[in-house]
Amino acid sequence: MPRAGKAGEGWQFPPFILLLDPPVYDDELRALIEWVEGVLVPGYLAEPSADARWCHLWFEHPVAVARLHACWLAWQELTDPATCGYTGPSVWHRDHLDPCLRELRGAGGPFAGCTKSEHRIDHRLPGLVPSAWLMEEH
């Protein structure tokens, strides 16, 4: 499932998902959903609880998309022995997966307002602010 590939003379890696515009964002999100639902959920997420929340509509939470995408990018690199040797999966668990899940599933995480019967994405969203990533065109 590695998403990096040769483009021209150099390597091209996928940019961070929050920097993408549709339809590229949509394609990257679909690939992320496949990884989260096919690898992460069945392999790493036990039954959600008050101490370890999970929202089945995680892809509607921008902070969850951002964190999971970063974790997925690291997974792609660190599960390939050609790029990281045989210690990559251990590094991925320690440095990427564990902190990501602690942040997402913690009491103050993006799923704090979601329960099995209710989904709320607006419970932590601030008002609109200018994007720090968008450059003004002159």
Side-chain angles (χ1 to χ4, degrees), residues 52-116:
R53 296 184 182 269
W54 182 256
C55 181
H56 70 284
L57 297 174
W58 60 267
F59 44 84
E60 292 184 5
H61 296 266
V63 71
V65 169
R67 286 188 176 277
L68 290 168
H69 188 257
C71 191
W72 178 49
L73 292 176
W75 179 84
Q76 290 177 74
E77 180 178 335
L78 293 171
T79 57
D80 182 357
T83 61
C84 64
Y86 292 109
T87 60
S90 177
V91 170
W92 177 75
H93 282 91
R94 181 194 69 210
D95 294 349
H96 302 280
L97 178 66
D98 293 344
C100 178
L101 292 182
R102 272 194 303 272
E103 290 295 322
L104 290 178
R105 300 185 81 186
F111 307 142
C114 299
T115 65
K116 287 183 179 183

Side-chain angles (χ1 to χ4, degrees), residues 131 133-138:
S131 174
W133 289 327
L134 297 177
M135 302 292 280
E136 261 188 58
E137 292 188 29
H138 297 279

Side-chain angles (χ1 to χ4, degrees), residues 122 124-129:
D122 61 345
R124 292 179 34 109
L125 295 180
L128 292 176
V129 294

Side-chain angles (χ1 to χ4, degrees), residues 2-17:
R3 309 253 313 154
K6 284 205 176 200
E9 296 180 15
W11 286 92
Q12 182 182 30
F13 294 91
F16 186 55
I17 196 166

